Amino acid sequence: MGGGLETGDTSHKEDLVTIYPSEIRTFAYCPRLFFFESWLGKKARASDRLRALVGRLFHALWSLVDKIRGFKSESLIETVLGGVRLRGRPDSYLQVGEEVVVVERKSGRGPVRGAWLSDVLQASAYALILSKTSGSRKARVIVRYRRGSGEFSMSEELVGKLVKAIDDMVYVKKHGVVPAALRSEPKCGRCPYRMPCEELDRDLSVGSDLYEPGSWLSRERRALEDTGPG
Ligand code: SF4
Protein backbone atom coordinates (compact mmCIF):
# COMPACT_ATOMS: atom_id res chain seq x y z
CA MET A 1 0.00 0.00 0.00
CA GLY A 2 3.00 2.33 0.46
CA GLY A 3 2.55 5.56 -1.51
CA GLY A 4 -1.18 5.01 -2.21
CA LEU A 5 -3.70 7.59 -1.07
CA GLU A 6 -6.50 6.39 1.18
CA THR A 7 -9.23 8.97 1.48
CA GLY A 8 -12.38 9.48 3.45
CA ASP A 9 -15.08 11.92 2.38
CA THR A 10 -12.40 14.03 0.71
CA SER A 11 -13.57 16.93 -1.40
CA HIS A 12 -11.18 19.21 -3.21
CA LYS A 13 -12.50 22.62 -2.29
CA GLU A 14 -9.89 25.31 -2.68
CA ASP A 15 -10.70 26.87 0.68
CA LEU A 16 -9.86 23.81 2.77
CA VAL A 17 -7.01 24.31 5.22
CA THR A 18 -4.60 21.38 5.14
CA ILE A 19 -3.33 20.28 8.54
CA TYR A 20 -0.69 17.56 8.89
CA PRO A 21 -0.52 15.43 12.05
CA SER A 22 3.21 16.26 12.31
CA GLU A 23 2.15 19.93 12.55
CA ILE A 24 -0.27 19.04 15.36
CA ARG A 25 2.73 17.63 17.20
CA THR A 26 4.63 20.90 16.71
CA PHE A 27 1.59 22.92 17.83
CA ALA A 28 1.25 20.91 21.05
CA TYR A 29 5.00 21.29 21.70
CA CYS A 30 4.85 25.05 21.20
CA PRO A 31 2.00 26.82 19.32
CA ARG A 32 4.28 29.81 18.61
CA LEU A 33 6.82 27.52 16.89
CA PHE A 34 4.02 26.23 14.64
CA PHE A 35 3.23 29.86 13.75
CA PHE A 36 6.84 30.57 12.72
CA GLU A 37 7.19 27.35 10.72
CA SER A 38 3.87 28.00 8.94
CA TRP A 39 4.63 31.61 7.99
CA LEU A 40 8.44 31.71 7.72
CA GLY A 41 9.25 28.12 6.75
CA LYS A 42 11.08 25.46 8.69
CA LYS A 43 14.60 26.28 9.82
CA ALA A 44 16.87 23.42 10.82
CA ARG A 45 20.20 23.63 12.63
CA ALA A 46 23.06 21.19 11.85
CA SER A 47 22.24 19.21 15.02
CA ASP A 48 18.58 18.99 13.91
CA ARG A 49 19.66 17.65 10.51
CA LEU A 50 21.79 14.98 12.18
CA ARG A 51 18.88 14.07 14.48
CA ALA A 52 16.58 13.86 11.44
CA LEU A 53 18.99 11.48 9.69
CA VAL A 54 19.15 9.22 12.76
CA GLY A 55 15.34 9.40 12.92
CA ARG A 56 14.98 8.34 9.26
CA LEU A 57 17.27 5.34 9.78
CA PHE A 58 15.34 4.39 12.92
CA HIS A 59 12.02 4.62 11.06
CA ALA A 60 13.27 2.65 8.03
CA LEU A 61 14.38 -0.18 10.28
CA TRP A 62 11.12 -0.33 12.24
CA SER A 63 9.00 0.08 9.13
CA LEU A 64 10.54 -3.17 7.87
CA VAL A 65 9.80 -4.93 11.17
CA ASP A 66 6.20 -3.62 11.18
CA LYS A 67 5.62 -4.81 7.61
CA ILE A 68 6.79 -8.30 8.59
CA ARG A 69 4.25 -8.17 11.45
CA GLY A 70 1.44 -7.33 9.01
CA PHE A 71 1.13 -3.58 9.64
CA LYS A 72 0.65 -1.08 6.82
CA SER A 73 3.43 1.44 6.73
CA GLU A 74 3.87 5.05 5.63
CA SER A 75 0.71 5.14 3.47
CA LEU A 76 -0.63 8.60 2.64
CA ILE A 77 -4.08 8.96 4.22
CA GLU A 78 -6.48 11.89 4.42
CA THR A 79 -9.97 12.95 5.31
CA VAL A 80 -11.98 16.15 5.52
CA LEU A 81 -13.41 17.47 8.79
CA GLY A 82 -15.44 20.62 8.28
CA GLY A 83 -13.11 23.08 6.55
CA VAL A 84 -9.97 21.08 7.31
CA ARG A 85 -8.17 18.52 5.20
CA LEU A 86 -6.31 16.26 7.60
CA ARG A 87 -3.54 14.47 5.77
CA GLY A 88 -0.41 12.49 6.62
CA ARG A 89 1.57 9.27 6.72
CA PRO A 90 1.33 7.24 9.92
CA ASP A 91 4.42 5.18 10.73
CA SER A 92 2.36 1.97 10.98
CA TYR A 93 -1.22 0.94 11.41
CA LEU A 94 -3.41 -2.13 11.49
CA GLN A 95 -7.11 -2.88 11.41
CA VAL A 96 -7.97 -5.48 14.05
CA GLY A 97 -11.65 -6.35 13.66
CA GLU A 98 -13.60 -3.17 14.50
CA GLU A 99 -10.54 -1.43 15.87
CA VAL A 100 -7.83 0.68 14.26
CA VAL A 101 -4.40 0.50 15.90
CA VAL A 102 -1.85 3.19 15.09
CA VAL A 103 1.81 2.87 16.07
CA GLU A 104 3.91 6.04 16.09
CA ARG A 105 7.64 5.61 16.66
CA LYS A 106 9.95 8.25 18.05
CA SER A 107 13.71 7.94 18.09
CA GLY A 108 14.04 10.12 21.19
CA ARG A 109 13.53 9.28 24.82
CA GLY A 110 9.98 9.47 26.10
CA PRO A 111 8.80 10.66 29.50
CA VAL A 112 9.28 8.47 32.57
CA ARG A 113 5.74 7.10 32.10
CA GLY A 114 3.34 7.12 29.15
CA ALA A 115 3.98 9.46 26.22
CA TRP A 116 4.30 13.17 25.47
CA LEU A 117 0.99 14.90 24.75
CA SER A 118 2.39 16.17 21.42
CA ASP A 119 3.18 12.63 20.25
CA VAL A 120 -0.18 11.27 21.42
CA LEU A 121 -2.06 14.02 19.55
CA GLN A 122 -0.07 13.31 16.37
CA ALA A 123 -0.86 9.58 16.54
CA SER A 124 -4.50 10.37 17.44
CA ALA A 125 -4.84 12.47 14.28
CA TYR A 126 -3.82 9.45 12.18
CA ALA A 127 -6.28 7.30 14.14
CA LEU A 128 -9.05 9.84 13.51
CA ILE A 129 -8.41 9.78 9.75
CA LEU A 130 -8.35 5.98 9.67
CA SER A 131 -11.51 5.72 11.78
CA LYS A 132 -13.31 7.95 9.30
CA THR A 133 -11.99 6.17 6.20
CA SER A 134 -12.64 2.67 7.56
CA GLY A 135 -15.79 3.38 9.57
CA SER A 136 -14.18 1.83 12.67
CA ARG A 137 -15.79 2.72 15.97
CA LYS A 138 -12.75 2.03 18.12
CA ALA A 139 -9.19 3.23 17.85
CA ARG A 140 -6.05 2.86 19.88
CA VAL A 141 -2.70 4.62 19.56
CA ILE A 142 0.69 3.37 20.70
CA VAL A 143 3.67 5.70 20.90
CA ARG A 144 6.98 3.84 21.06
CA TYR A 145 10.22 5.53 22.10
CA ARG A 146 13.77 4.25 22.09
CA ARG A 147 13.05 3.20 25.64
CA GLY A 148 9.48 2.72 26.74
CA SER A 149 6.09 3.32 25.19
CA GLY A 150 2.58 4.57 25.95
CA GLU A 151 -0.75 3.16 24.80
CA PHE A 152 -4.01 5.16 24.64
CA SER A 153 -7.63 4.54 23.72
CA MET A 154 -9.25 7.24 21.59
CA SER A 155 -11.46 8.54 24.39
CA GLU A 156 -13.86 11.47 24.00
CA GLU A 157 -11.46 13.54 26.07
CA LEU A 158 -8.54 12.80 23.74
CA VAL A 159 -10.60 13.48 20.60
CA GLY A 160 -11.77 16.74 22.23
CA LYS A 161 -8.18 17.88 22.73
CA LEU A 162 -7.31 16.95 19.17
CA VAL A 163 -10.25 18.87 17.71
CA LYS A 164 -9.45 21.88 19.91
CA ALA A 165 -5.85 21.86 18.67
CA ILE A 166 -6.98 21.61 15.03
CA ASP A 167 -9.47 24.50 15.49
CA ASP A 168 -6.74 26.68 16.97
CA MET A 169 -4.31 25.75 14.20
CA VAL A 170 -6.78 26.98 11.60
CA TYR A 171 -6.72 30.44 13.27
CA VAL A 172 -2.96 30.43 12.95
CA LYS A 173 -2.57 28.91 9.49
CA LYS A 174 -5.47 30.59 7.74
CA HIS A 175 -5.78 33.90 9.58
CA GLY A 176 -2.25 34.48 10.86
CA VAL A 177 -3.33 34.86 14.50
CA VAL A 178 -0.25 34.79 16.78
CA PRO A 179 -0.60 31.88 19.21
CA ALA A 180 0.69 31.32 22.74
CA ALA A 181 4.38 30.79 23.41
CA LEU A 182 5.00 27.71 25.58
CA ARG A 183 8.37 28.76 26.93
CA SER A 184 10.93 26.60 28.65
CA GLU A 185 14.69 26.97 28.61
CA PRO A 186 15.40 23.55 27.05
CA LYS A 187 12.95 24.29 24.19
CA CYS A 188 13.71 27.97 23.60
CA GLY A 189 17.45 27.43 24.01
CA ARG A 190 17.55 25.38 20.82
CA CYS A 191 14.77 27.19 18.93
CA PRO A 192 15.91 28.93 15.70
CA TYR A 193 13.12 31.53 16.17
CA ARG A 194 14.03 32.65 19.69
CA MET A 195 14.94 36.23 18.73
CA PRO A 196 11.83 37.00 16.63
CA CYS A 197 9.70 35.23 19.22
CA GLU A 198 10.95 37.44 22.06
CA GLU A 199 10.64 40.55 19.88
CA LEU A 200 7.09 39.61 19.03
CA ASP A 201 6.22 39.40 22.72
CA ARG A 202 7.72 42.84 23.31
CA ASP A 203 5.61 44.24 20.46
CA LEU A 204 2.35 42.59 21.45
CA SER A 205 0.24 44.80 23.67
CA VAL A 206 0.61 44.01 27.37
CA GLY A 207 -2.57 42.80 29.06
CA SER A 208 -4.40 42.23 25.78
CA ASP A 209 -7.70 40.36 26.10
CA LEU A 210 -7.32 38.70 22.69
CA TYR A 211 -7.52 34.92 22.70
CA GLU A 212 -4.18 33.30 22.06
CA PRO A 213 -4.63 29.99 20.21
CA GLY A 214 -3.01 27.17 22.14
CA SER A 215 -2.96 28.98 25.50
CA TRP A 216 -4.93 26.05 27.01
CA LEU A 217 -1.96 23.77 26.33
CA SER A 218 0.01 25.33 29.19
CA ARG A 219 -2.56 23.82 31.60
CA GLU A 220 -2.31 20.36 30.06
CA ARG A 221 0.02 17.78 31.50
CA ARG A 222 2.92 17.49 29.09
CA ALA A 223 3.05 13.72 29.48
CA LEU A 224 -0.01 11.46 29.43
CA GLU A 225 -0.16 8.21 31.30
CA ASP A 226 -1.31 5.05 29.56
CA THR A 227 -4.95 4.09 29.36
CA GLY A 228 -4.24 0.76 27.65
CA PRO A 229 -6.61 -1.01 25.29
CA GLY A 230 -10.17 0.12 25.96
S1 SF4 B 1 11.52 30.56 21.35
FE1 SF4 B 1 10.44 29.13 22.71
S2 SF4 B 1 8.36 29.97 22.88
FE2 SF4 B 1 9.31 30.94 21.08
S3 SF4 B 1 8.76 29.67 19.34
FE3 SF4 B 1 10.70 28.91 20.06
S4 SF4 B 1 10.19 27.25 21.50
FE4 SF4 B 1 8.35 28.48 21.21
Side-chain angles (χ1 to χ4, degrees), residues 29-30 32-33 36 181-183 187-188 191 193-194 197:
Y29 174 81
C30 175
R32 183 72 64 82
L33 180 59
F36 283 120
L182 288 194
R183 296 192 185 285
K187 279 199 277 193
C188 302
C191 178
Y193 300 102
R194 185 171 195 163
C197 182

Side-chain angles (χ1 to χ4, degrees), residues 47-62:
S47 57
D48 294 333
R49 283 194 285 272
L50 181 63
R51 206 172 306 148
L53 178 65
V54 172
R56 277 201 294 279
L57 290 172
F58 175 88
H59 277 93
L61 178 67
W62 278 107

Side-chain angles (χ1 to χ4, degrees), residues 95-100 127 130-139:
Q95 181 86 36
V96 186
E98 280 284 288
E99 187 180 45
V100 167
L130 289 165
S131 297
K132 284 205 79 192
T133 54
S134 68
S136 300
R137 272 182 261 150
K138 279 176 75 182

Side-chain angles (χ1 to χ4, degrees), residues 92-150:
S92 299
Y93 64 93
L94 187 68
Q95 181 86 36
V96 186
E98 280 284 288
E99 187 180 45
V100 167
V101 181
V102 171
V103 179
E104 183 63 24
R105 296 188 183 277
K106 299 295 174 197
S107 54
R109 255 188 259 167
V112 178
R113 289 203 54 182
W116 299 118
L117 173 65
S118 51
D119 295 332
V120 178
L121 289 183
Q122 180 185 5
S124 301
Y126 296 127
L128 187 63
I129 301 171
L130 289 165
S131 297
K132 284 205 79 192
T133 54
S134 68
S136 300
R137 272 182 261 150
K138 279 176 75 182
R140 190 155 42 100
V141 300
I142 302 169
V143 183
R144 292 201 193 287
Y145 297 96
R146 240 185 316 142
R147 270 175 264 159
S149 65

